[in-house]
Amino acid sequence: MKKWQKAVVATPVVGLAGVAAYDLWQRKHALLRSFPVIGHARYILEAIGPELRQYIVTDNDEERPFSRDQRRWVYASAKGQDNHFGFGTDNDLEVAPGYAIIKHRTFADTVPDSRDSAGTDAAVPSAKILGGPRGRAKAFRPNSLVNISAMSFGSLSAPAIKALNAGAKQAGCLHNTGEGGLSEHHKQGGDLTYQIGTGYFGCRDEQGRFSLDRLIERIDGSPVRSIEIKLSQGAKPGLGGLLPAAKVSREIADIRGIPLGEDCASPSRHTAFTDVDSMLDFVETVAQGTGLPVGIKSAIGDMTFWSHLVEAMAPGDRGVDFITVDGGEGGTGAAPRVFADSVAQPFRIGFRQVYGLFAEAGLAEDVTFIGSGRLGLPDQAAVGFALGVDMINIAREAMLAIGCIQAQKCHTDHCPTGVATQNAWLTRGLDPTLKSVRLANYVQTLRHELLKLSEAIGVAHPGLITVDDIDLLTGDGGVETLRDVVGYRRGWGLPGETDRAEITALMTGAKQGENAS
């Protein structure tokens, strides 16, 4: 054997001997002292556990937060591939408590157009005029009832934000900026909702206080259609947020108005207002200053706030234009495990609590309700619309559409697909031009499938699905209607009579016009 060949053989042997010697000497890990070298396999398997479980260990419905079947549907829809499943369901329906069964009708007076082309344009609008009930100067009917939820530049990469916004333009939907402010990456042609968080990034003065003048200056000339004030979010309700220093680049620091290379903390609560009364004054100030519809976003915890909000809005002189309810199961932001698992109500419970208060007071028709928290799947979205949601916001499903593989490394700056990182080597792999098409395909497919469900139920629009149209399995062979479970009265969960008539005319009129042509 030649010398170089001996060296090649000897090198790994020497390396392993060195690792073994270190393992036997170190005192930090008992496992490695007892099992030198091979003990490292445990740590390697732990590190890649999520990836292994996704593709090898779990079945089609076990993986969380999104199962293999759910991810497969999103990926296929985004890529424009066949997203059908063969050979029937593999779900064990009889023992799945809370599983939603959507009830089709044999006969119906009005159904939407659910042909293969339906929903692939921007012709599935909201059933309500956003800002209409309060007479906002720039009130409008959103073109799409499926929109992109709040995810900040900084938390997501520049190519990811570009892909989302360009995809929003193609799909005709709204794109929420997230609390990180408005960047150039958000300006790819898609309409925007500007989110104001507790840090007031992009609209703060030198002391970090909210500045209406800076807000107006920042949104001037941009396609911002509405303003969302974030009170809390599903991933970390009541906790605030943290953008690690590793993600705070010069560009992000300039956009947010924060120091370079330092952790960027968002306070847990606002300083511009301290109670419901001052919050509504703040809402009206922003609405009058911008002319835009203004709403709030919150996960649901203590209901005292919501009771006070309903009482304060009852006179009709002040009020929010929309409410985004985020379920506790939501979460694009990193959070302590206890917050992700145990703080804030799941969407179905939290939403029905809030909606019930507004419906009881006769105010539900004056507010556009937006649902968020794993609603980007047709069956989950249908339940949301039945409960009274007027639009849905999608976050993690949008991330999946542009390449996320659910590696669950969003908070580490090591996202392997370049979606949730500022690492230049990783972000270079994400092509915004290609991924924007995938985002648009996904949104369009979701709208289309919601129309198909509406047709099966026999209503003209997803917003007209009711709590009587869905059953929930009890897990022991029984079934309950969604109405019985949530305790809704007749008419709850539906838009007002005028809105129902208008959206029915829009949907059936479009269908008749297409058929006539």
Side-chain angles (χ1 to χ4, degrees), residues 29 81 118 306 368 373 388:
H29 301 290
Q81 298 173 348
W306 299 100
T368 291

Side-chain angles (χ1 to χ4, degrees), residues 129-142 225 291-293 321:
I129 304 293
L130 194 63
R134 299 207 53 75
R136 304 301 187 198
K138 298 178 182 178
F140 70 105
R141 185 190 299 276
R225 305 295 304 278
L292 298 170
D321 297 298

